[in-house]
Amino acid sequence: MNGYRDLRVALLGCGSVGAQVARLLLEQGDELAARVGARLHLTGIAVRDLDAPRDVDLPRELFTTDAEQLVLGADIVVELMGGIETARELILRALESGADVVTANKALIAEHGPELADAAEQVGAQLSYEAAVAGAIPIIRPLRESLAGDHITRVLGIVNGSTNYILDRMDRFGDSAEDAMRVASELGYLEADPTLDVEGYDAAQKATILASIAFHTVVPVDAVYREGISGVTSAQIEAARHAGYVIKLLAIAERLTAADGTTGVSARVYPALISRDHPLAAVHGGKNAVFVEAEAAGELMFYGAGAGGVETASAVLGDLVSAARRHVIGGPGIPGSSHADLCVLPIGEVSTSYQIMLEVRDLPGVLAEIAGLLAEHGVSAASVEQTVADGAEGTATLVIGTHISREADLAATVDALRGSAVVTAVTSVLRLEGGA
Ligand code: NDP
Ligand code: HSE
């Protein structure tokens, strides 16, 4: 197709995502040129090992190990290498030269997003990272652009596919945590370091990004409260089901008013109960979804593939086309926005309801004692269910649902329960999110 100018696109990385981006760029060159009004000319692909086998057959002459040289002179740099320091340096170099940058690197954006956004703004370049949160699902652009005229109040995300897969197997197929984890590992769902998924680090990186964009505030990744799924037991899954809930690892970003009246942002990741009627409860297997609550728009849900080479490549190409159109039209990129500059509130300021499971001595007055401990700390019980297991003579299991309480009050209550002579064990404390 003639008549189009060329835009030079440098691709850094040719792994699961990069190979698919390169394939789609080459296969759909004419179509993309027509959509953009310029030809996206892939000038090269930087890798570590020129001889490594690739998922896709690509022209050998495109490959280089000289990423620094490749970045020079590019109009748009697509970073799909992963890792922090080399990626950061190459992206800064690209931005300083005026190139737009597209990346899927959640770890880098979570850690250095503000620095990279500043560098982009200084030269009027565009920094885009749609694929960094929830893979193929459009969520960054909807938050930054489509909802730019609204006030977001809360974002609840299932943003880690592997942990959703594990919890879903435990819930729907009765797998033990170990079996579900083994299957997820065999299917290649987990990161090379599974701790990143299982202990919630990956979800915390995504929570940082979502919270920062939704609330126009820099939310550092180490300010995200984080609990993973490694402590979730089959007994908790069963108790949740019995009470009409399902357990999901949620990344939550919320605008809150603290006890002293300060408005701030809470960003947190933990396994939480949600009602089986909530749309997030229907997110099965390795799928992701982000549920957004906004003052004017109300409730919105974005659902789909949170990972996968070709799926993630779709989001990368969307950013690439958008950056390329800006080159054609002219004008600066959309800057990052942190003007609200809210404080990031600690977990103690969060208010939600809870489900507490206790093993107690089965004696007269036990319920009254426990009700007294709750009341002493300002926590109100909404439901109490007692069961006595066959053969468990002298002990009973109590499942207490609370009304909405402050996390700090709940924590003090749980400490008091642990110290009570009638409680033999606090076996589970789970938060309920998304309404009853
Ligand atoms: P892979 O590990 O599959 O691929 C990484 C690629 O980068 C490889 O081609 C590797 O080269 C190259 N590379 C790594 N370091 C360097 C370096 N220093 N110089 C030159 N090339 C280098 O990663 P993915 O494709 O899975 O992920 C890419 C990015 O996308 C990551 O940031 C990831 O977090 C993100 N992401 C991935 C998703 C997925 O489903 N895979 C989903 C959402 C985001 P070589 O092949 O020679 O080793
Ligand atoms: N490890 C991540 C997940 C990959 O399980 O969702 C996508 O970021």
Side-chain angles (χ1 to χ4, degrees):
M1 205 175 286
N2 294 321
Y4 292 125
R5 67 186 263 216
D6 269 3
L7 288 174
R8 291 154 302 175
V9 177
L11 178 58
L12 310 180
C14 193
S16 306
V17 185
Q20 296 301 330
V21 168
R23 176 180 71 79
L24 292 169
L25 260 180
L26 296 174
E27 283 178 9
Q28 303 179 4
D30 290 346
E31 173 77 23
L32 290 171
R35 290 185 192 176
V36 169
R39 183 162 284 278
L40 298 176
H41 172 55
L42 182 60
T43 54
I45 307 173
V47 292
R48 280 175 301 207
D49 178 359
L50 292 175
D51 299 320
R54 304 284 160 204
D55 296 347
V56 174
D57 199 16
L58 296 163
R60 204 176 158 77
E61 61 274 15
L62 282 176
F63 287 91
T64 175
T65 54
D66 193 346
E68 288 183 26
Q69 187 62 34
L70 184 61
V71 162
L72 293 177
D75 296 303
I76 305 172
V77 172
V78 181
E79 185 276 305
L80 296 170
M81 303 186 326
I84 303 275
E85 208 36 55
T86 307
R88 171 180 163 272
E89 281 167 21
L90 288 166
I91 288 178
L92 283 173
R93 195 163 297 193
L95 291 170
E96 279 157 14
S97 74
D100 289 340
V101 170
V102 175
T103 177
N105 195 330
K106 57 212 166 183
L108 177 67
I109 295 297
E111 200 73 46
H112 295 291
E115 179 194 19
L116 300 179
D118 283 352
E121 194 173 348
Q122 272 173 27
V123 293
Q126 178 76 53
L127 171 70
S128 315
Y129 43 88
E130 182 62 72
V133 178
I137 303 174
I139 184 62
I140 303 296
R141 194 169 293 114
L143 289 177
R144 281 179 81 163
E145 297 179 32
S146 319
L147 291 165
D150 209 333
H151 281 110
I152 292 165
T153 50
R154 186 157 61 156
V155 180
L156 298 174
I158 296 174
V159 291
N160 182 270
S162 49
T163 48
N164 197 54
Y165 180 82
I166 291 168
L167 293 174
D168 193 47
R169 278 198 76 92
M170 291 172 73
D171 179 57
R172 290 203 295 159
F173 307 117
D175 280 18
S176 66
E178 296 72 27
D179 284 350
M181 173 98 175
R182 186 179 38 74
V183 180
S185 175
E186 282 166 8
L187 290 170
Y189 282 6
L190 292 155
E191 300 273 341
D193 174 3
T195 316
L196 295 175
D197 294 312
V198 173
E199 298 303 343
Y201 292 99
D202 174 80
Q205 290 167 351
K206 294 164 181 169
T208 293
I209 298 171
L210 291 173
S212 300
I213 295 173
F215 300 111
H216 306 275
T217 289
V218 172
V219 178
V221 68
D222 52 16
V224 179
Y225 177 83
R226 178 189 53 76
E227 288 174 26
I229 66 159
S230 58
V232 176
T233 62
S234 296
Q236 286 178 314
I237 298 267
E238 195 44 52
R241 185 207 316 284
H242 182 72
Y245 303 123
V246 61
I247 300 178
K248 296 285 186 191
L249 183 71
L250 296 182
I252 302 168
E254 189 172 19
R255 194 173 65 201
L256 286 182
T257 305
D260 69 0
T262 314
T263 299
V265 175
S266 160
R268 52 197 200 268
V269 169
Y270 43 61
L273 301 167
I274 50 172
S275 164
R276 286 191 178 260
D277 296 332
H278 193 283
L280 286 172
V283 179
H284 296 300
K287 286 286 196 290
N288 282 195
V290 184
F291 190 82
V292 178
E293 298 169 19
E295 279 177 9
E299 297 176 344
L300 305 163
M301 188 156 106
F302 302 80
Y303 167 87
V310 72
E311 294 88 344
T312 307
S314 163
V316 172
L317 278 172
D319 278 349
L320 180 51
V321 164
S322 171
R325 283 182 178 146
R326 190 186 73 74
H327 275 272
V328 172
I329 296 164
I334 301 171
S337 164
S338 56
H339 66 88
D341 199 18
L342 298 173
C343 60
V344 184
L345 295 172
I347 185 71
E349 296 289 356
V350 171
S351 288
T352 184
S353 40
Y354 300 81
Q355 186 197 64
I356 310 168
M357 274 206 286
L358 307 171
E359 296 299 321
V360 296
R361 299 180 68 194
D362 194 9
L363 295 170
V366 166
L367 282 180
E369 158 105 17
I370 287 170
L373 289 176
L374 264 63
E376 218 173 275
H377 295 93
V379 173
S380 166
S383 63
V384 179
E385 192 178 359
Q386 174 172 330
T387 49
V388 179
D390 287 346
E393 214 164 290
T395 62
T397 301
L398 280 189
V399 180
I400 303 170
T402 76
H403 286 295
I404 290 181
S405 317
R406 273 181 72 242
E407 177 89 18
D409 296 335
L410 195 279
T413 308
V414 171
D415 281 348
L417 289 169
R418 287 204 170 101
S420 162
V422 300
V423 175
T424 51
V426 178
T427 52
S428 168
V429 180
L430 286 170
R431 301 161 183 98
L432 170 61
E433 294 286 354

